[in-house]
């Protein structure tokens, strides 16, 4: 990784997508702070290709970790702002996989260990969830957090191709 990319990776960009702060009132979904049309797909979309293309230019790209609203599985009317690894793009819609720093994911077949990264201010080890794809409009992104290095993105891509049929 180049030193300039490494320097960018270590700092949180804080580029706000929609406004200087998260929305305060309910969105079109009725969920306070949630993008109006964030959806969660149960599996990988057919025909999607994984490409590593981070570019901290203010647009979220595959290989970048960004922050966005993610609804809870148990109750989609609730959720929280969390880091998401962007793995694909379709126009102004992003496909992402949520990250967690909860170590109980260690050994879970649907979670892949990434290690620590600049997306977590405390530099805790993180895991990425492979079986839940977040489909979010780009304007639902709150900020860029970091670039996942090519090697770790490659590990995610291998797991998605092997276990979930991605291309």
């Amino acid at each position: 990784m180049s030193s300039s990319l490494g320097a960018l990776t270590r700092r949180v960009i804080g580029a706000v997508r929609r406004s200087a702060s998260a929305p305060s009132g309910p969105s079109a979904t009725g969920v306070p702070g949630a993008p109006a049309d964030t959806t969660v797909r149960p599996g990988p979309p057919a025909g999607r290709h994984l490409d590593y293309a981070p570019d901290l230019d203010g647009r979220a790209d595959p290989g970048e970790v960004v922050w966005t609203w993610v609804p809870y599985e148990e109750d989609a009317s609730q959720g929280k702002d969390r880091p998401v690894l962007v793995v694909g793009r379709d126009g102004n819609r992003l496909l992402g996989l949520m990250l967690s720093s909860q170590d109980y994911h260690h050994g879970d077949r649907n979670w892949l260990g990434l290690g620590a990264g600049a997306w977590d201010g405390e530099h805790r080890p993180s895991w990425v969830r492979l079986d839940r794809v977040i489909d979010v409009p780009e304007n639902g992104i709150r900020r860029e957090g970091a670039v996942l290095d090519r090697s770790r993105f490659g590990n995610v891509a291998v797991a998605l191709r092997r276990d979930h049929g991605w291309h």
Side-chain angles (χ1 to χ4, degrees):
M1 178 176 352
S2 73
S3 62
S4 62
L5 180 56
L8 288 172
T9 301
R10 287 187 295 274
R11 63 184 257 241
V12 174
I13 300 300
V16 178
R17 298 282 180 237
R18 290 167 34 164
S19 67
S21 62
S24 57
S27 67
T29 63
V31 180
D37 56 353
T38 297
T39 58
V40 178
R41 296 182 180 172
R48 299 289 179 158
H49 297 275
L50 294 159
D51 292 313
Y52 182 76
D55 181 10
L56 295 178
D57 60 356
R59 289 184 72 205
D61 300 300
E64 294 178 21
V65 177
V66 298
W67 285 76
T68 190
W69 173 266
V70 176
Y72 294 135
E73 280 184 286
E74 313 78 48
D75 181 358
S77 70
Q78 297 183 36
K80 69 178 188 176
D81 210 41
R82 66 181 317 135
V84 170
L85 172 62
V86 178
V87 294
R89 170 183 280 286
D90 184 11
N92 67 349
R93 298 200 64 84
L94 305 169
L95 299 175
L97 305 172
M98 65 185 216
L99 274 62
S100 174
S101 61
Q102 301 299 314
D103 61 340
Y104 60 78
H105 295 303
H106 180 77
D108 187 321
R109 68 179 185 88
N110 290 319
W111 291 82
L112 177 69
L114 293 178
W119 55 85
D120 183 273
E122 297 176 34
H123 298 285
R124 297 170 293 187
S126 294
W127 288 262
V128 62
R129 185 166 181 183
L130 301 171
D131 66 338
R132 185 175 185 218
V133 180
I134 310 300
D135 179 345
V136 65
E138 186 166 18
N139 67 359
I141 299 301
R142 303 275 194 278
R143 60 185 165 94
E144 290 175 308
V147 172
L148 186 68
D149 61 82
R150 183 180 291 275
S151 175
R152 290 191 280 182
F153 186 86
N155 293 339
V156 172
V158 165
L160 287 172
R161 288 178 181 126
R162 179 191 65 225
D163 299 340
H164 298 287
W166 286 64
H167 302 286

